[in-house]
Amino acid sequence: MKTSDNGKKLIKKYEGFSSTPYLCHAKVPTIGYGTTYYPNGKAVTLKDTPITEKQADEMLSFMLVKYENAVSRYASVQLTQNQFDVLLSFCYNVGQSNLLSSTLLKKLNNKDYKGASNEFLKWNKSGGKVLQGLVNRRKDEREVFLK
């Protein structure tokens, strides 16, 4: 499966756009739509030059292929487009290893869709602190997942 336009919009909504590098809540240099490294594999640094929104969109599309492949590998059940898009958003935000080891994925692969949807809400912290932006994101992800 591939990320839909709605899936990209969801990611963009919560990642936000920054033309200049910044430190995210996890203290990782980030640019564009939450990108931490460039298509050439080089990590983002705080000294990098600004990028355009078009470049950020291209970087996001490039990065999504990696996450699409991961979600396709890890999810052993048939997914709706909404479920796939939400898992992409989640994986893009928390990383592949966190998705792979999550109770969310275990419940999903056991066809416990309601239980899996409730797991999104638990991923609302960064650096041990609850962040309202993550609370909002997980609530929206859960709602789209259940549609």
Side-chain angles (χ1 to χ4, degrees), residues 71-90:
V71 169
S72 295
R73 265 193 328 271
Y74 301 157
S76 62
V77 295
Q78 185 74 27
L79 299 172
T80 66
Q81 186 66 55
N82 282 341
Q83 290 168 336
F84 186 79
D85 287 344
V86 166
L87 288 170
L88 259 285
S89 174
F90 179 79

Side-chain angles (χ1 to χ4, degrees), residues 93-147:
N93 183 238
V94 305
Q96 292 181 58
S97 60
N98 282 323
L99 173 63
L100 183 59
S101 65
S102 70
T103 303
L104 187 160
L105 184 66
K106 288 177 182 77
K107 288 185 178 189
L108 173 67
N109 285 337
N110 284 321
K111 298 184 179 180
D112 179 5
Y113 299 100
K114 180 75 169 172
S117 73
N118 291 332
E119 291 297 314
F120 284 104
L121 304 177
K122 296 177 181 178
W123 291 83
N124 61 1
K125 297 179 186 78
S126 180
K129 296 180 183 179
V130 173
L131 299 180
Q132 190 59 49
L134 289 177
V135 170
N136 297 342
R137 182 179 189 152
R138 300 302 176 232
K139 182 178 176 237
D140 280 358
E141 287 172 340
R142 181 181 181 275
E143 287 175 12
V144 173
F145 184 85
L146 290 170
K147 283 185 183 178

Side-chain angles (χ1 to χ4, degrees), residues 18 20-31 36 44-46:
S18 178
T20 57
Y22 66 94
L23 284 178
C24 71
H25 289 288
K27 307 290 186 227
V28 177
T30 305
I31 198 166
T36 58
V44 173
T45 73
L46 295 178

Side-chain angles (χ1 to χ4, degrees), residues 1-13 15 33-39 55-74 81 84-96 99 137 141:
M1 292 182 82
K2 297 288 179 201
T3 312
S4 73
D5 288 340
N6 287 335
K8 277 182 93 170
K9 285 178 190 172
L10 179 67
I11 292 168
K12 287 179 173 183
K13 174 183 176 180
E15 293 295 337
Y33 294 108
T35 305
T36 58
Y37 62 90
Y38 297 96
Q55 288 172 307
D57 191 58
E58 290 168 356
M59 289 167 59
L60 174 63
S61 293
F62 178 84
M63 297 298 296
L64 285 178
V65 172
K66 169 183 163 183
Y67 295 108
E68 288 166 350
N69 290 335
V71 169
S72 295
R73 265 193 328 271
Y74 301 157
Q81 186 66 55
F84 186 79
D85 287 344
V86 166
L87 288 170
L88 259 285
S89 174
F90 179 79
C91 192
Y92 188 83
N93 183 238
V94 305
Q96 292 181 58
L99 173 63
R137 182 179 189 152
E141 287 172 340

